[in-house]
Amino acid sequence: MTSSTPAEHPAAAQSDRQRSEPDQPGAEPEIGYEQARDELVEVVRRLESGGTSLAETMTLWERGEKLAAICQSWLDGARRRIDQAREKTEQSD
């Protein structure tokens, strides 16, 4: 699955270099929402399957927390854009 970004994050601005979270004004996440979600699903699957060492479990858990935060940040940014668009529409009426 390919990653797409919200309109506030043009695809042309995406690159492989690490970036800050999208909940910061003007910032982009290090990975797109779909990629973070898919990786989070895999992390959860691995944690639920068991059979990993404590160290690996902790590493997976920490990665899962970061991925969940990235996903939430993308969703928060989308919600802000929707709210801003609604405000502009209400102001123009």
Side-chain angles (χ1 to χ4, degrees):
M1 178 183 283
T2 60
S3 291
S4 63
T5 58
E8 69 194 44
H9 304 287
Q14 292 290 332
S15 75
D16 292 331
R17 70 183 183 276
Q18 185 173 359
R19 293 176 218 149
S20 59
E21 302 294 311
D23 61 348
Q24 299 170 0
E28 295 182 15
E30 61 183 70
I31 61 176
Y33 173 80
E34 291 83 0
Q35 183 180 349
R37 181 201 59 214
D38 292 347
E39 187 178 339
L40 179 56
V41 167
E42 178 61 19
V43 165
V44 170
R45 185 196 65 74
R46 289 182 63 195
L47 287 169
E48 288 178 340
S49 69
T52 57
S53 68
L54 178 58
E56 185 178 2
T57 297
M58 293 305 299
T59 299
L60 287 168
W61 181 270
E62 290 167 352
R63 182 61 180 160
E65 288 287 330
K66 181 172 183 166
L67 291 165
I70 290 170
C71 289
Q72 188 61 55
S73 187
W74 275 109
L75 294 171
D76 291 345
R79 171 54 62 192
R80 265 194 312 279
R81 292 201 66 228
I82 290 168
D83 291 344
Q84 290 170 352
R86 284 183 176 163
E87 286 175 16
K88 286 180 183 178
T89 300
E90 290 172 1
Q91 291 173 357
S92 65
D93 288 341

